[in-house]
Amino acid sequence: NWTPRYNLWDQRVCACPEADFQKMIKNKKAKIVTDHIDKFTKTGIALKSGDNLDADVIITATGLKLVIAGKIQVSVDDQPVKFHELFYYKGMMFSDLPNVFSAFGYTNASWTLKVDIVARYACRLCMYMKENNYSVFKPVIPDGMATESWIDMTSSYIKRYEHLSPKQGNRYPWKLKQNYYIDWLQLKFSDLENDIEFQ
C-alpha cells in the first residue's frame, strides 16, 4: 500500500499537522489502500484488484477542473487570449500579455510562500515602471525557446488540463522551479528587464 505508481507529492496527502491520521492507522481504526476503483457496489467499492472496500459513506474527490483567470474572458486589442499558446514567465506572468500578474502557489510547499514573493516582485516591478515613466510591461519569449509541460506532476486533474495550460520554457525565467529559496533569490535580485519589453 505504500508503493504507488506516482510520486509522493503528486497524488497523496503529504502532511497531517495533528498526526490524527497516523494515530487512526496505529490504532487500526483506519487503513490505506492503493488501488483503482472498478465500480461502486451496494456495500461500498469494488476494486480492480478484486478486493472490496465496505463503506458507509464514500467521498469522491476526482472532479477538480483547473482554469486560468477564473474563466474570465481575457482579451488584448479585442483579440481573445489563448493561454495554452503562451509561456509562463517567472511563474507569475505570461508571454505577450501586457500588465498581468498571476499568483499561482507552490505544489510542494505552502501556497502562500509563492504568492507572497510574487506580490513583492509585482510591487518591485511597478515601482521600477513608475521611476522610469513606463506604463506597460510585456514578457517576450526569445526565439527558439524549447517547450516543456507547465508543471511536472502526474495528477489526473493536472493531466486533464495540460492541453489548455500555458507552457514553460527550458530555462529561467521561463521555467518554473517549485523551489522557494531559488525563487526568493531570483525574484528579489534578478534583472527586471530580462526578457521584458517596457513602454
Side-chain angles (χ1 to χ4, degrees):
N1 289 332
W2 291 99
T3 55
R5 61 181 170 72
Y6 44 80
N7 294 324
L8 180 67
W9 284 106
D10 286 357
Q11 298 185 31
R12 188 177 289 273
V13 174
C14 302
C16 187
E18 303 296 324
D20 52 342
F21 181 62
Q22 290 85 350
K23 289 174 189 171
M24 294 288 282
I25 291 174
K26 183 178 179 181
N27 296 331
K28 301 192 186 306
K29 293 183 179 179
K31 67 179 179 178
I32 295 175
V33 175
T34 301
D35 206 324
H36 293 271
I37 296 173
D38 183 39
K39 62 183 175 182
F40 293 96
T41 67
K42 289 181 181 180
T43 60
I45 300 172
L47 303 173
K48 288 190 177 179
S49 65
D51 292 338
N52 289 291
L53 292 177
D54 291 331
D56 296 322
V57 176
I58 300 169
I59 300 170
T60 61
T62 58
L64 179 63
K65 293 180 181 177
L66 297 176
V67 294
I68 289 286
K71 295 186 180 179
I72 296 170
Q73 299 299 316
V74 179
S75 63
V76 175
D77 297 329
D78 295 322
Q79 297 299 312
V81 172
K82 298 176 182 176
F83 283 98
H84 67 280
E85 294 177 356
L86 306 182
F87 282 76
Y88 268 120
Y89 177 83
K90 294 188 178 181
M92 72 178 83
M93 295 179 255
F94 304 96
S95 59
D96 299 319
L97 188 57
N99 293 1
V100 172
F101 292 101
S102 173
F104 192 91
Y106 290 114
T107 58
N108 60 358
S110 170
W111 189 267
T112 54
L113 284 175
K114 180 66 177 278
V115 172
D116 180 62
I117 59 176
V118 164
R120 290 174 189 272
Y121 180 87
C123 291
R124 183 175 163 233
L125 184 64
C126 288
M127 289 302 296
Y128 177 80
M129 291 175 64
K130 182 178 180 181
E131 291 165 2
N132 291 279
N133 294 315
Y134 295 132
S135 59
V136 177
F137 71 84
K138 181 174 68 173
V140 179
I141 192 85
D143 290 336
M145 175 67 70
T147 302
E148 295 184 4
S149 176
W150 76 294
I151 198 164
D152 186 23
M153 288 179 65
T154 61
S155 303
S156 298
Y157 70 95
I158 297 288
K159 292 301 181 188
R160 283 194 304 267
Y161 170 74
E162 204 164 27
H163 70 288
L164 299 173
S165 68
K167 300 170 279 218
Q168 71 171 337
N170 62 345
R171 62 176 173 79
Y172 183 80
W174 300 96
K175 184 174 177 67
L176 297 170
K177 293 290 186 185
Q178 296 295 334
N179 184 306
Y180 172 75
Y181 300 105
I182 292 173
D183 287 343
W184 184 87
L185 284 170
Q186 288 178 334
L187 296 180
K188 186 167 178 66
F189 299 109
S190 65
D191 179 7
L192 291 171
E193 295 192 6
N194 186 13
D195 292 344
I196 290 189
E197 289 182 358
F198 291 96
Q199 296 175 17

